[in-house]
Amino acid sequence: MVMNKITAKIHDETAAEVKAILAEAQKKADASAAKIEAAAQAKVQEIQVQAKADAEEAGRRQVLIAELESRKNALNLKRKVLDEAFAAAETKLQQLPQADWEKLITKLVVQGAETGSEKLCVPAADKARYEGGFLTRLNAALQAAGKQGQLTLSNDTGKFSGGVVLEGTTSDYDASFPTLLKLVKNQYEHDVAAILFKTEVK
């Protein structure tokens, strides 16, 4: 009987201790769960904030790329229009009336000739003009400018659209229309762009 009471007492004390241990464990588990859940929520919020920031940054990049592409396309278009303007100028030079053409070529030759005895390299399409009396008038203009006035036509045919190249003994003077327009383009391109577009082409 006494033994049964002792056993019962031990059983009750053990049960109480186990219960206390379980309660403490449950308390710790609840605390850990709450801590883990709070950390998880914080991480979710952090991810959401970062995702929003990334989305905004991606949006800004897309806008920037679009703006750069638009500017590039605009500049390419302006460049094309500018090139077409100079191409049209070259065509106009080639289609000058005879009197205007002679006046221009005479000015170029008198200005470019060093001695007045150079050979003239001209396009095949213009050769008949020189042989039809223009070469004689050119030499007269050179003599009036104090130069020899002994130009002759070169055996070589110019591979350019218009104008003339003076072949000297030490150097040549390139007064072909493509070269002249290239020089004008390099010097006045920004001015022409300002007229066409009210701005400059970079």
Side-chain angles (χ1 to χ4, degrees):
M1 188 68 173
V2 174
M3 182 61 70
N4 289 339
K5 289 183 178 180
I6 293 172
T7 302
K9 185 175 176 59
I10 292 172
H11 180 272
D12 292 341
E13 289 177 354
T14 301
E17 186 175 346
V18 169
K19 187 176 181 181
I21 291 172
L22 288 174
E24 185 64 26
Q26 183 65 44
K27 185 179 179 181
K28 289 182 178 179
D30 290 343
S32 295
K35 187 175 182 180
I36 291 171
E37 184 177 357
Q41 288 293 334
K43 190 63 178 176
V44 168
Q45 291 179 357
E46 180 183 340
I47 291 172
Q48 289 175 338
V49 170
Q50 186 61 47
K52 183 179 180 181
D54 290 344
E56 290 176 352
E57 179 62 24
R60 281 194 293 270
R61 287 177 184 167
Q62 289 298 324
V63 170
L64 179 60
I65 290 172
E67 288 176 349
L68 290 174
E69 189 66 22
S70 176
R71 176 174 169 76
K72 177 183 175 183
N73 290 338
L75 287 175
N76 286 340
L77 181 59
K78 289 180 179 181
R79 172 63 59 190
K80 182 179 178 181
V81 171
L82 196 57
D83 290 341
E84 289 174 354
F86 280 97
E90 183 174 352
T91 300
K92 188 172 182 179
L93 283 175
Q94 294 167 2
Q95 297 174 348
L96 283 173
Q98 180 67 22
D100 294 337
W101 179 83
E102 284 196 17
K103 184 177 180 180
L104 174 60
I105 297 298
T106 300
K107 181 178 180 180
L108 293 172
V109 169
V110 171
Q111 176 182 315
E114 289 186 60
T115 63
S117 60
E118 291 85 357
K119 290 184 178 294
L120 299 183
C121 179
V122 301
D126 291 342
K127 196 167 184 180
R129 291 178 168 182
Y130 290 87
E131 293 173 338
F134 180 48
L135 183 60
T136 300
R137 291 190 289 278
L138 269 180
N139 280 320
L142 283 169
Q143 289 175 349
K147 298 181 181 181
Q148 292 181 25
Q150 296 178 2
L151 297 174
T152 56
L153 289 176
S154 171
N155 293 325
D156 297 328
T157 300
K159 307 299 181 185
F160 43 87
S161 59
V164 62
V165 173
L166 284 76
E167 299 175 346
T169 54
T170 58
S171 63
D172 296 341
Y173 179 76
D174 188 350
S176 63
F177 290 164
T179 297
L180 293 175
L181 283 171
K182 184 177 180 181
L183 293 173
V184 171
K185 186 176 181 180
N186 290 339
Q187 185 173 358
Y188 297 107
E189 184 176 55
H190 287 229
D191 295 335
V192 174
I195 294 171
L196 290 175
F197 313 118
K198 308 303 181 185
T199 184
E200 292 185 353
V201 172
K202 302 291 183 182

